[in-house]
């Protein structure tokens, strides 16, 4: 553990732990406000740029990326999607976003977003350090919280900041100083997971297909003209290496009856567990949490990365008021404003999840009720509009 008394202390205005989408965009918005920051991440740049995660950007997220980064590839590598297909009862029901809410989403994988953001911030001279592992944050209420950790070469690091932001993901080391414990939050675990694959084959569908079938849930997504991303519901303890490729294709095809999926070599497999979490506190004194450090949503509503970025927009505004204008009102209101959106996103993610997946103890009544719920959505303009509004994203602050 780092001894903060004998180690040379570095100074910055805002210390940001984590160079994921939340930490990188926050550093950019702070720089726009003339506030310097140090961003540290325990992983290497190569690891950050190659981790496959989220893929759907809400309209406002795509607009924000275009505004802050003239070189963003969201419109060249990414693809605009004007709808999704809800698949049940052997047929698809398209939800058309532009005609319902005048907005769209963009399929642009998170690791491509991160490549753009890392190039943007490093090009702007951001103090951004890879391979630096934060061990703890100390905040004695003096207005100068300390970040303590290890540099890439193992030497100790101490940063003295005016404010510390935990953008360090779901296993946040910053969280305990805010909530009092690493687990301090509202939590729900789901009795299923997603078996995810990347495969070399052209897209099976132009838009995402969310399927509820008697066999369970499947999501047919895309990644590029040559690679598809697909998921099907599995047991949380499933071993990603266990099924043969043929068994994976059989499971997927059975969950989207009436379609024919393009099959190809499976190049990656993973099992993604489902959790919902919201930290009890998002800020204490001069330390705040954003993104997955503050909350986790199941991926069904495609909200994770978008919600992280929405937090950051609010926090950047509050930090500008605090550190430039010495106005504490926005930072005092940060948690309440962020939580209003977080709980809406939690509800949407839970709703999509529960409407589309089968639980192990589901009865025939439960399956038929789900089909009634899906019909209530697709056969009603109000139902479709709610889904379109939430999926394409509520306005940012
Ligand atoms: C396997 C997986 C699949 C996902 N799929 C989807 C999806 O399909 N759709 C969706 O919407 N969302 C998905 N998500 C969620 C989405 O990726 C996250 O919501 C998003 O990455 C949150 O961004 P963030 O910046 O808050 O955190 P992260 O992206 O997790 O970034 C946190 C960063 O902090 C760094 N860090 C952690 N601890 C330390 C430490 N002690 N010291 C220094 N650095 C540290 C990490 O290395 C990491 O780079 C997925 C998440 C995972 C894990």
């Amino acid at each position: 553990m780092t001894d903060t008394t004998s180690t040379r202390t570095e100074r910055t205005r805002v210390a940001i732990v984590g160079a994921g989408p939340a930490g990188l965009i926050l550093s950019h918005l702070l720089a726009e406000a003339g506030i310097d920051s140090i961003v540290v991440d325990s992983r290497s740049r190569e690891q950050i740029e190659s981790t496959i995660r989220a893929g759907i950007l809400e309209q406002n997220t795509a607009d924000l990326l275009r505004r802050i980064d003239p070189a963003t590839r969201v419109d060249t590598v990414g693809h605009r999607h004007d709808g999704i297909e809800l698949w049940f009862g052997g047929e698809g029901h398209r939800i058309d976003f532009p005609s319902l809410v005048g907005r769209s989403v963009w399929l642009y994988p998170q690791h491509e977003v991160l490549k753009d953001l890392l190039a943007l911030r490093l090009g702007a001279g951001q103090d951004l350090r890879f391979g630096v592992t934060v061990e703890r944050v100390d905040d004695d209420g003096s207005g100068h919280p300390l970040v303590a950790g290890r540099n890439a070469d193992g030497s100790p690091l101490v940063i003295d900041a005016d404010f510390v932001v935990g953008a360090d993901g779901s296993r946040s080391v910053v969280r305990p100083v805010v909530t009092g414990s690493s687990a301090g939050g509202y939590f729900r675990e789901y009795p299923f997971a997603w078996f995810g694959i990347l495969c070399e084959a052209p897209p099976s569908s132009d838009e995402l297909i969310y399927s509820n079938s008697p066999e369970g849930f499947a999501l047919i997504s895309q990644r590029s003209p040559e690679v598809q991303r697909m998921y099907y519901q599995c047991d949380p303890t499933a071993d990603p290496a266990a099924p043969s490729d043929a068994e994976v294709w059989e499971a997927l095809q059975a969950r989207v009856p009436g379609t024919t999926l393009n099959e190809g070599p499976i190049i990656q497999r993973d099992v993604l567990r489902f959790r919902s979490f919201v930290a009890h506190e998002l800020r204490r004194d001069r330390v705040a949490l954003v993104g997955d450090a503050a909350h986790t949503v199941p991926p069904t509503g495609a909200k994770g990365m978008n919600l992280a970025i929405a937090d950051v927009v609010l926090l950047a505004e509050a930090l500008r008021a605090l550190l430039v204008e010495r106005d504490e009102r926005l930072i005092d209101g940060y948690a309440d404003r962020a939580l209003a959106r977080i709980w809406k996103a939690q509800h949407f993610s839970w709703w999509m999840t529960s409407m589309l997946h089968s639980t192990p103890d589901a009865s025939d009544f439960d399956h038929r009720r789900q089909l009634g719920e899906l019909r209530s959505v697709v056969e009603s303009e109000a139902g479709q509009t709610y889904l379109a509004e939430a999926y394409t994203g509520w306005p940012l602050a």
Side-chain angles (χ1 to χ4, degrees):
M1 182 96 19
T2 307
D3 173 3
T4 53
T5 53
S6 61
T7 307
R8 188 176 70 83
T9 300
E10 302 195 45
R11 240 323 273 162
T12 189
R13 299 216 72 193
V14 180
I16 301 173
V17 186
L24 291 171
I25 292 182
L26 180 63
S27 74
H28 185 92
L29 298 179
L30 292 176
E32 283 184 339
I35 300 168
D36 62 72
S37 62
I38 297 176
V39 183
V40 297
D41 200 291
S42 50
R43 295 187 294 162
S44 67
R45 182 175 180 178
E46 292 69 31
Q47 285 172 316
I48 294 173
E49 290 184 338
S50 60
T51 305
I52 305 291
R53 286 193 177 177
I56 293 289
L57 306 186
E58 295 173 359
Q59 169 101 40
N60 293 314
T61 304
D63 290 345
L64 178 71
L65 294 179
R66 288 188 201 99
R67 183 186 76 67
I68 66 174
D69 182 9
T72 180
R73 295 165 302 139
V74 66
D75 295 305
T76 49
V77 173
H79 296 274
R80 194 183 82 213
H81 283 205
D82 287 338
I84 58 168
E85 195 113 47
L86 288 181
W87 196 275
F88 59 93
E91 56 180 340
H93 307 262
R94 185 163 184 273
I95 310 287
D96 185 83
F97 299 149
S99 66
L100 291 160
V101 293
R103 296 201 295 269
S104 299
V105 295
W106 273 257
L107 181 83
Y108 187 43
Q110 180 167 332
H111 66 284
E112 299 293 349
V113 174
L114 287 169
K115 283 183 199 167
D116 290 350
L117 291 173
L118 288 166
L120 174 74
R121 295 311 303 139
L122 290 168
Q126 173 69 42
D127 187 340
L128 169 50
R129 306 178 190 185
F130 301 103
V132 173
T133 302
V134 170
E135 293 168 342
R136 69 176 196 280
V137 171
D138 296 324
D139 186 10
D140 62 3
S142 64
H144 286 276
L146 295 179
V147 172
R150 296 270 157 202
N151 291 306
D153 64 4
S155 61
L157 170 79
V158 178
I159 305 173
D160 167 351
D162 294 337
F163 205 98
V164 174
V165 178
D168 53 340
S170 55
R171 299 205 176 120
S172 173
V173 297
V174 182
R175 194 185 300 137
V177 79
V178 176
T179 66
S181 81
S182 58
Y186 307 95
F187 183 73
R188 181 190 181 104
E189 180 125 32
Y190 297 78
F192 41 75
W194 277 4
F195 195 104
I197 61 159
L198 278 177
C199 72
E200 289 176 336
S204 298
S205 156
D206 290 338
E207 294 175 340
L208 272 66
I209 301 175
Y210 288 82
S211 179
N212 170 312
S213 80
E215 309 296 324
F217 170 81
L219 171 60
I220 308 306
S221 179
Q222 306 80 23
R223 189 102 306 179
S224 70
E226 300 82 28
V227 175
Q228 295 183 82
R229 182 81 162 141
M230 302 188 192
Y231 304 90
Y232 63 90
Q233 177 180 348
C234 68
D235 189 90
T237 60
D239 173 2
S244 66
D245 283 14
E247 286 167 333
V248 170
W249 286 116
E250 195 182 326
L252 278 164
Q253 295 277 3
R255 285 162 174 76
V256 209
T259 66
T260 306
L261 301 176
N262 292 331
E263 298 184 11
I266 295 174
I267 52 176
Q268 188 179 312
R269 306 150 164 249
D270 44 36
V271 170
L272 180 60
R273 298 187 78 142
F274 268 48
R275 295 190 173 101
S276 300
F277 171 80
V278 180
H280 283 145
E281 317 282 340
L282 300 193
R283 175 206 153 221
R284 178 162 299 182
D285 293 330
R286 293 274 179 141
V287 185
L289 303 175
V290 289
D292 279 16
H295 43 73
T296 310
V297 286
T300 324
K303 285 277 157 273
M305 177 168 51
N306 297 292
L307 201 50
I309 292 170
D311 292 346
V312 156
V313 170
L314 283 177
L315 186 63
E317 196 188 359
L319 289 177
R320 186 186 53 72
L322 177 73
L323 300 176
V324 179
E325 296 156 13
R326 298 187 185 284
D327 180 346
E328 297 188 0
R329 284 174 296 176
L330 286 180
I331 199 70
D332 286 344
Y334 163 67
D336 286 344
R337 291 177 77 201
L339 283 166
R341 186 190 191 93
I342 291 165
W343 280 110
K344 279 165 70 171
Q346 285 290 358
H347 170 71
F348 178 67
S349 304
W350 169 88
W351 176 66
M352 287 283 280
T353 300
S354 58
M355 181 167 66
L356 290 163
H357 293 71
S358 323
T359 54
D361 60 354
S363 66
D364 199 32
F365 173 89
D366 297 322
H367 289 303
R368 286 165 192 270
R369 189 205 56 75
Q370 274 185 325
L371 295 178
E373 187 175 10
L374 282 158
R375 290 217 173 280
S376 305
V377 174
V378 302
E379 292 174 4
S380 141
E381 189 172 330
Q384 290 186 40
T385 303
Y386 167 67
L387 195 156
E389 197 175 78
Y391 198 92
T392 58
W394 305 283
L396 290 174

